[in-house]
Amino acid sequence: MLEKFYSNNNDIFLKNVSGEITFSDFRTLVLNNLDKMRSKKENVVISSDDILSFIVSFFAAVFSQKNIFLADEIVNLKNLNFEYDIVSDCKIDYSQPTETFPEINEEEIFVSLLTSGSSGTPKIIKNNLFNLVAEAQGIIDSTELKKEDCIVATTTTCSHRYGFTYIILIPLLIGYQIYTDKLFYPDNVNFKNCLLISTPSFLDILKNNNLQFPIAPKCIISAGAKLKQETFEYLEKYQSVVDIYGATETGVSAYRKNSQDKELTLLNDVKMMSDEDGTIVITPYAIEKEVIVSDLIDVNQNKITLKARTDRLLKIQEKIKEC
């Protein structure tokens, strides 16, 4: 499966303040963590703020064919009614691997995302690796991300769908490098050709304090809530900005690249239509291809206007779900 990513094994894939890791070395790390992962329970929760540990552990779980859970907060695990192991670190071992990658079926590798939900009740959103990779490719195609020298850095985590897609899968598919140290302050963004994955709360701090990055990122991606108009206008003076709309249940659905755009553009393969209970999202990036969200949205062909975000999930294919 890793063969579809990165055409040159000698390319630099991961970077941090301590050094660089080639894609070949990354593959070695994954192989040398398979034994450790196989010793874990059938259900594993990947939870680490360290991106190197997260990505190595995730793919070790993939090739060990575990049921994988990503939790944005460990507190969301307290109501799980099955046995699981939490994996928060990986073994750093660059010795010659004694085995090769087994064949896997991406549609049979299940990745479930644990969220607190809009009501505070933890929810498990089940998906598979095939859909998540397809979503990342759909974002690349729809938003016209280019294959070029670029390093992805983040102020958020990989443990929710937005972070996992933008920090891990998109760089793998398009050949971007990943900076594995989480950024906590604007001063940390001090390298060229940076694609910064962030959130409105972090970006609001920049605007409210009239702060700038030492080196302006090539682009900022923002998701988690609507980016305030004044923050969007402030940021795009210095770099391009993409405001993302989506949900854990559906993945990324729409985006806007200009603060003056009142409408968001749907991804190429995503459709929406109004429903008496909210808005129907038709997406190839979920196991259930039609999801009804209760967000109030005006739909005009491939453009949408978000009127209000409310309780997130109502039902999937006529099955009522707890909100």
Side-chain angles (χ1 to χ4, degrees), residues 89-314:
D89 59 7
C90 69
K91 179 173 62 175
I92 303 300
D93 179 2
Y94 293 106
S95 63
Q96 182 66 33
T98 58
E99 56 184 309
T100 58
F101 288 109
E103 292 291 329
I104 61 166
N105 182 342
E106 293 176 31
E107 293 185 89
E108 296 178 356
I109 302 297
F110 293 104
V111 181
S112 298
L113 295 108
L114 281 67
T115 71
S116 58
S118 55
S119 66
T121 301
K123 298 187 296 183
I124 300 176
I125 310 301
K126 188 175 183 179
N127 213 319
N128 61 43
L129 185 57
F130 179 86
N131 287 338
L132 296 173
V133 172
E135 177 193 0
Q137 188 61 58
I139 293 169
I140 291 169
D141 295 340
S142 299
T143 62
E144 299 179 332
L145 287 172
K146 294 180 171 55
K147 187 175 178 62
E148 58 189 350
D149 288 339
C150 187
I151 182 166
V152 171
T154 184
T155 66
T156 186
T157 73
C158 307
S159 298
H160 45 71
R161 185 161 182 171
Y162 160 58
F164 178 71
T165 302
Y166 270 95
I167 301 167
I168 305 298
L169 293 182
I170 286 178
L172 275 167
L173 283 169
I174 203 168
Y176 293 165
Q177 296 174 1
I178 301 172
Y179 191 74
T180 61
D181 293 334
K182 184 178 176 181
L183 307 179
F184 292 95
Y185 305 103
D187 286 351
N188 297 145
V189 184
N190 57 4
F191 33 81
K192 295 180 179 178
N193 300 323
C194 174
L195 176 65
L196 181 65
I197 312 304
S198 193
T199 58
S201 58
F202 182 91
L203 299 174
D204 285 343
I205 293 172
L206 294 175
K207 187 268 173 188
N208 294 339
N209 294 280
N210 197 31
L211 299 175
Q212 298 177 32
F213 300 108
I215 301 176
K218 179 174 289 189
C219 181
I220 295 174
I221 309 292
S222 174
K226 184 178 180 181
L227 192 60
K228 291 178 182 177
Q229 184 66 19
E230 57 268 29
T231 301
F232 202 147
E233 292 175 356
Y234 174 79
L235 292 170
E236 70 180 359
K237 294 176 184 177
Y238 309 105
Q239 59 270 304
S240 62
V241 181
V242 181
D243 188 20
I244 295 295
Y245 169 75
T248 304
E249 300 85 0
T250 62
V252 172
S253 297
Y255 63 94
R256 62 176 180 146
K257 293 183 174 182
N258 190 308
S259 64
Q260 302 310 305
D261 289 341
K262 304 304 179 186
E263 298 177 311
L264 291 89
T265 301
L266 291 173
L267 296 190
N268 296 341
D269 294 328
V270 175
K271 294 181 174 58
M272 289 188 185
M273 61 183 73
S274 297
D275 180 81
E276 61 182 6
D277 290 324
T279 303
I280 301 173
V281 181
I282 304 170
T283 173
Y285 310 136
I287 291 178
E288 304 288 353
K289 302 306 179 187
E290 292 190 10
V291 180
I292 297 184
V293 296
S294 56
D295 292 346
L296 302 179
I297 298 172
D298 285 342
V299 183
N300 180 18
Q301 296 182 339
N302 73 326
K303 302 287 186 179
I304 64 170
T305 303
L306 182 62
K307 310 300 283 188
R309 301 201 79 160
T310 56
D311 288 347
R312 187 64 56 79
L313 188 63
L314 287 178

